PDB file of all heavy atoms in Angstrom:
ATOM      1  N   GLN A   4     -37.627 -22.126   8.298  1.00 81.00           N
ATOM      2  CA  GLN A   4     -38.504 -21.917   7.163  1.00 81.00           C
ATOM      3  C   GLN A   4     -38.784 -20.428   6.973  1.00 81.00           C
ATOM      4  O   GLN A   4     -39.353 -19.778   7.852  1.00 81.00           O
ATOM      5  CB  GLN A   4     -39.845 -22.655   7.368  1.00 81.00           C
ATOM      6  CG  GLN A   4     -39.720 -24.157   7.517  1.00 81.00           C
ATOM      7  CD  GLN A   4     -39.418 -24.843   6.205  1.00 81.00           C
ATOM      8  OE1 GLN A   4     -39.668 -24.283   5.136  1.00 81.00           O
ATOM      9  NE2 GLN A   4     -38.885 -26.050   6.282  1.00 81.00           N
ATOM     10  N   ARG A   5     -38.348 -19.884   5.873  1.00 76.00           N
ATOM     11  CA  ARG A   5     -38.683 -18.525   5.445  1.00 76.00           C
ATOM     12  C   ARG A   5     -38.507 -17.495   6.568  1.00 76.00           C
ATOM     13  O   ARG A   5     -39.390 -16.692   6.854  1.00 76.00           O
ATOM     14  CB  ARG A   5     -40.126 -18.476   4.913  1.00 76.00           C
ATOM     15  CG  ARG A   5     -40.365 -19.361   3.698  1.00 76.00           C
ATOM     16  CD  ARG A   5     -41.789 -19.237   3.207  1.00 76.00           C
ATOM     17  NE  ARG A   5     -42.078 -17.867   2.796  1.00 76.00           N
ATOM     18  CZ  ARG A   5     -41.781 -17.358   1.590  1.00 76.00           C
ATOM     19  NH1 ARG A   5     -41.163 -18.123   0.694  1.00 76.00           N
ATOM     20  NH2 ARG A   5     -42.082 -16.112   1.301  1.00 76.00           N
ATOM     21  N   VAL A   6     -37.349 -17.521   7.202  1.00 74.00           N
ATOM     22  CA  VAL A   6     -37.044 -16.560   8.251  1.00 74.00           C
ATOM     23  C   VAL A   6     -36.480 -15.289   7.616  1.00 74.00           C
ATOM     24  O   VAL A   6     -35.520 -15.342   6.844  1.00 74.00           O
ATOM     25  CB  VAL A   6     -36.032 -17.145   9.259  1.00 74.00           C
ATOM     26  CG1 VAL A   6     -35.590 -16.066  10.247  1.00 74.00           C
ATOM     27  CG2 VAL A   6     -36.653 -18.317  10.002  1.00 74.00           C
ATOM     28  N   GLN A   7     -37.076 -14.150   7.944  1.00 69.00           N
ATOM     29  CA  GLN A   7     -36.588 -12.865   7.451  1.00 69.00           C
ATOM     30  C   GLN A   7     -35.584 -12.328   8.457  1.00 69.00           C
ATOM     31  O   GLN A   7     -35.925 -11.988   9.587  1.00 69.00           O
ATOM     32  CB  GLN A   7     -37.744 -11.882   7.290  1.00 69.00           C
ATOM     33  CG  GLN A   7     -37.403 -10.671   6.455  1.00 69.00           C
ATOM     34  CD  GLN A   7     -37.294 -11.005   4.968  1.00 69.00           C
ATOM     35  OE1 GLN A   7     -38.137 -11.731   4.432  1.00 69.00           O
ATOM     36  NE2 GLN A   7     -36.257 -10.511   4.314  1.00 69.00           N
ATOM     37  N   LEU A   8     -34.289 -12.277   8.061  1.00 61.00           N
ATOM     38  CA  LEU A   8     -33.239 -11.916   9.002  1.00 61.00           C
ATOM     39  C   LEU A   8     -33.418 -10.505   9.554  1.00 61.00           C
ATOM     40  O   LEU A   8     -33.026 -10.222  10.684  1.00 61.00           O
ATOM     41  CB  LEU A   8     -31.870 -12.037   8.319  1.00 61.00           C
ATOM     42  CG  LEU A   8     -31.464 -13.465   7.913  1.00 61.00           C
ATOM     43  CD1 LEU A   8     -30.103 -13.433   7.245  1.00 61.00           C
ATOM     44  CD2 LEU A   8     -31.452 -14.391   9.108  1.00 61.00           C
ATOM     45  N   SER A   9     -34.003  -9.604   8.772  1.00 62.00           N
ATOM     46  CA  SER A   9     -34.185  -8.240   9.257  1.00 62.00           C
ATOM     47  C   SER A   9     -35.121  -8.171  10.458  1.00 62.00           C
ATOM     48  O   SER A   9     -35.092  -7.212  11.224  1.00 62.00           O
ATOM     49  CB  SER A   9     -34.719  -7.354   8.129  1.00 62.00           C
ATOM     50  OG  SER A   9     -35.969  -7.834   7.664  1.00 62.00           O
ATOM     51  N   GLN A  10     -35.965  -9.217  10.627  1.00 63.00           N
ATOM     52  CA  GLN A  10     -36.840  -9.250  11.795  1.00 63.00           C
ATOM     53  C   GLN A  10     -36.093  -9.695  13.050  1.00 63.00           C
ATOM     54  O   GLN A  10     -36.533  -9.429  14.165  1.00 63.00           O
ATOM     55  CB  GLN A  10     -38.029 -10.180  11.534  1.00 63.00           C
ATOM     56  CG  GLN A  10     -38.928  -9.696  10.407  1.00 63.00           C
ATOM     57  CD  GLN A  10     -40.068 -10.656  10.120  1.00 63.00           C
ATOM     58  OE1 GLN A  10     -40.181 -11.702  10.757  1.00 63.00           O
ATOM     59  NE2 GLN A  10     -40.917 -10.297   9.161  1.00 63.00           N
ATOM     60  N   LEU A  11     -34.956 -10.382  12.841  1.00 61.00           N
ATOM     61  CA  LEU A  11     -34.124 -10.779  13.978  1.00 61.00           C
ATOM     62  C   LEU A  11     -33.114  -9.693  14.324  1.00 61.00           C
ATOM     63  O   LEU A  11     -32.798  -9.474  15.497  1.00 61.00           O
ATOM     64  CB  LEU A  11     -33.384 -12.081  13.649  1.00 61.00           C
ATOM     65  CG  LEU A  11     -34.272 -13.283  13.298  1.00 61.00           C
ATOM     66  CD1 LEU A  11     -33.399 -14.462  12.908  1.00 61.00           C
ATOM     67  CD2 LEU A  11     -35.186 -13.643  14.462  1.00 61.00           C
ATOM     68  N   TYR A  12     -32.600  -9.031  13.282  1.00 57.00           N
ATOM     69  CA  TYR A  12     -31.602  -7.974  13.485  1.00 57.00           C
ATOM     70  C   TYR A  12     -31.768  -6.976  12.354  1.00 57.00           C
ATOM     71  O   TYR A  12     -31.620  -7.316  11.178  1.00 57.00           O
ATOM     72  CB  TYR A  12     -30.193  -8.575  13.494  1.00 57.00           C
ATOM     73  CG  TYR A  12     -29.092  -7.572  13.749  1.00 57.00           C
ATOM     74  CD1 TYR A  12     -29.130  -6.730  14.852  1.00 57.00           C
ATOM     75  CD2 TYR A  12     -28.010  -7.477  12.876  1.00 57.00           C
ATOM     76  CE1 TYR A  12     -28.123  -5.811  15.086  1.00 57.00           C
ATOM     77  CE2 TYR A  12     -26.988  -6.565  13.111  1.00 57.00           C
ATOM     78  CZ  TYR A  12     -27.058  -5.743  14.219  1.00 57.00           C
ATOM     79  OH  TYR A  12     -26.062  -4.825  14.449  1.00 57.00           O
ATOM     80  N   THR A  13     -32.062  -5.734  12.683  1.00 56.00           N
ATOM     81  CA  THR A  13     -32.452  -4.757  11.675  1.00 56.00           C
ATOM     82  C   THR A  13     -31.357  -4.441  10.673  1.00 56.00           C
ATOM     83  O   THR A  13     -31.630  -3.945   9.587  1.00 56.00           O
ATOM     84  CB  THR A  13     -32.889  -3.437  12.357  1.00 56.00           C
ATOM     85  OG1 THR A  13     -31.813  -2.960  13.188  1.00 56.00           O
ATOM     86  CG2 THR A  13     -34.123  -3.659  13.214  1.00 56.00           C
ATOM     87  N   GLN A  14     -30.081  -4.704  11.005  1.00 53.00           N
ATOM     88  CA  GLN A  14     -28.988  -4.403  10.095  1.00 53.00           C
ATOM     89  C   GLN A  14     -28.801  -5.465   9.017  1.00 53.00           C
ATOM     90  O   GLN A  14     -27.956  -5.318   8.134  1.00 53.00           O
ATOM     91  CB  GLN A  14     -27.676  -4.244  10.876  1.00 53.00           C
ATOM     92  CG  GLN A  14     -27.672  -3.027  11.792  1.00 53.00           C
ATOM     93  CD  GLN A  14     -27.871  -1.743  11.012  1.00 53.00           C
ATOM     94  OE1 GLN A  14     -27.154  -1.471  10.055  1.00 53.00           O
ATOM     95  NE2 GLN A  14     -28.855  -0.953  11.413  1.00 53.00           N
ATOM     96  N   LEU A  15     -29.576  -6.552   9.085  1.00 55.00           N
ATOM     97  CA  LEU A  15     -29.495  -7.590   8.072  1.00 55.00           C
ATOM     98  C   LEU A  15     -30.649  -7.432   7.101  1.00 55.00           C
ATOM     99  O   LEU A  15     -31.748  -7.013   7.467  1.00 55.00           O
ATOM    100  CB  LEU A  15     -29.555  -8.977   8.719  1.00 55.00           C
ATOM    101  CG  LEU A  15     -28.386  -9.326   9.644  1.00 55.00           C
ATOM    102  CD1 LEU A  15     -28.613 -10.684  10.291  1.00 55.00           C
ATOM    103  CD2 LEU A  15     -27.067  -9.324   8.891  1.00 55.00           C
ATOM    104  N   ALA A  16     -30.389  -7.767   5.838  1.00 56.00           N
ATOM    105  CA  ALA A  16     -31.430  -7.647   4.830  1.00 56.00           C
ATOM    106  C   ALA A  16     -31.242  -8.754   3.809  1.00 56.00           C
ATOM    107  O   ALA A  16     -30.229  -9.447   3.796  1.00 56.00           O
ATOM    108  CB  ALA A  16     -31.370  -6.277   4.156  1.00 56.00           C
TER     109      ALA A  16
END
Side-chain angles (χ1 to χ4, degrees):
Q4 299 286 339
R5 299 182 61 84
V6 173
Q7 195 73 44
L8 294 180
S9 60
Q10 296 178 359
L11 301 176
Y12 182 53
T13 57
Q14 293 300 307
L15 296 176

